[in-house]
Amino acid sequence: MAWTDEVIRAARPGPASTVGISEGPSLLIAGPTGTGKTHQAYGAIRALLTARVRLRWEAVTAADLYARLRPRSGHDTERDLQSLARSPLLLLDDLGAAKNSEWTEELTYRLINHRYDHLLPTLITTNLPIAELRAALGDRVASRLAEMTERVILTGPDRRRQRST
Ligand SMILES: Nc1ncnc2c1ncn2[C@@H]1O[C@H](COP(=O)(O)OP(=O)(O)OP(=O)(O)O)[C@@H](O)[C@H]1O
Ligand SMILES: [Mg+2]
């Protein structure tokens, strides 16, 4: 994938013939359900690891993110948010699939804005057509995604249904 090549090019030498990542491009993979977005995103991460890029990476669906960060007593959700926001590589899967509220919009904004400000490589998948990102995610998130990400649009049938017929 062109994106993995770019991330590798942005990498710096690390210990024992590995390379580390500090800044790099981000990628938005869009397309309907079952077209292979999540599959491609993990494939890109695997390609980086295979290319000896050593980095901490985290993957989370947007729905899990909101569930995990919902304020609850005895739990420092702010720290969880910071940990994801600062992860050298983050896969945010299924953005825009969960019901939106002011709270989810603000949380998404804070996460994306941190990664935007620090040029942290971020993989994002979404079922939403590009034209609907702004309405679904809010202006501030959509505007940052437009600037920071390259886009790949996957098309084709739902691979899950294909298999069962
Ligand atoms: N290139 C591929 N080769 C073989 N199987 C694939 C490929 N891409 C995806 N699949 C399989 O097709 C199914 C759907 O893929 P995936 O979960 O990546 O879709 P998705 O676009 O993320 O869907 P959703 O929008 O519902 O999250 C999975 O079972 C996956 O393993
Ligand atoms: Mg998926």
Side-chain angles (χ1 to χ4, degrees):
M1 199 186 275
W3 177 80
T4 44
D5 296 342
E6 278 178 52
V7 171
I8 290 165
R9 228 174 294 129
R12 56 186 155 65
S17 76
T18 61
V19 288
I21 297 279
S22 49
E23 294 178 356
S26 292
L27 186 69
L28 179 76
I29 305 173
T33 283
T35 46
K37 301 179 297 295
T38 302
H39 183 92
Q40 291 294 335
Y42 279 100
I45 293 173
R46 212 175 313 120
L48 287 179
L49 299 177
T50 305
R52 306 185 73 85
V53 174
R54 288 294 166 264
L55 76 181
R56 179 167 76 89
W57 64 277
E58 297 208 45
V60 68
T61 65
D64 283 345
L65 170 79
Y66 304 140
R68 210 197 281 180
L69 298 185
R70 206 157 281 288
R72 53 193 192 279
S73 65
H75 195 91
D76 190 354
T77 51
E78 187 62 32
R79 216 174 103 203
D80 291 348
L81 174 64
Q82 294 304 330
S83 162
L84 287 170
R86 291 177 187 157
S87 178
L89 175 66
L90 176 69
L91 165 57
L92 183 54
D93 202 11
D94 253 336
L95 182 63
K99 258 234 174 62
N100 222 9
S101 69
E102 235 169 78
W103 181 77
T104 59
E105 189 173 320
E106 184 64 20
L107 208 105
T108 311
Y109 166 75
R110 289 184 57 203
L111 182 66
I112 295 295
N113 186 52
H114 182 89
R115 306 197 63 83
Y116 170 86
D117 279 346
H118 297 272
L119 300 170
L120 294 173
T122 310
L123 285 157
I124 295 154
T125 78
T126 184
N127 279 316
L128 294 167
I130 299 291
E132 286 172 31
L133 285 176
R134 188 166 294 269
L137 305 173
D139 272 348
R140 294 179 304 164
V141 171
S143 161
R144 283 165 180 76
L145 290 182
E147 187 184 325
M148 73 194 261
T149 62
E150 293 167 29
R151 274 102 202 270
V152 175
I153 318 275
L154 297 186
T155 55
D158 184 338
R159 289 172 179 268
R160 294 192 192 94
R161 287 176 193 278
Q162 248 183 345
R163 200 174 329 156
S164 59
T165 52

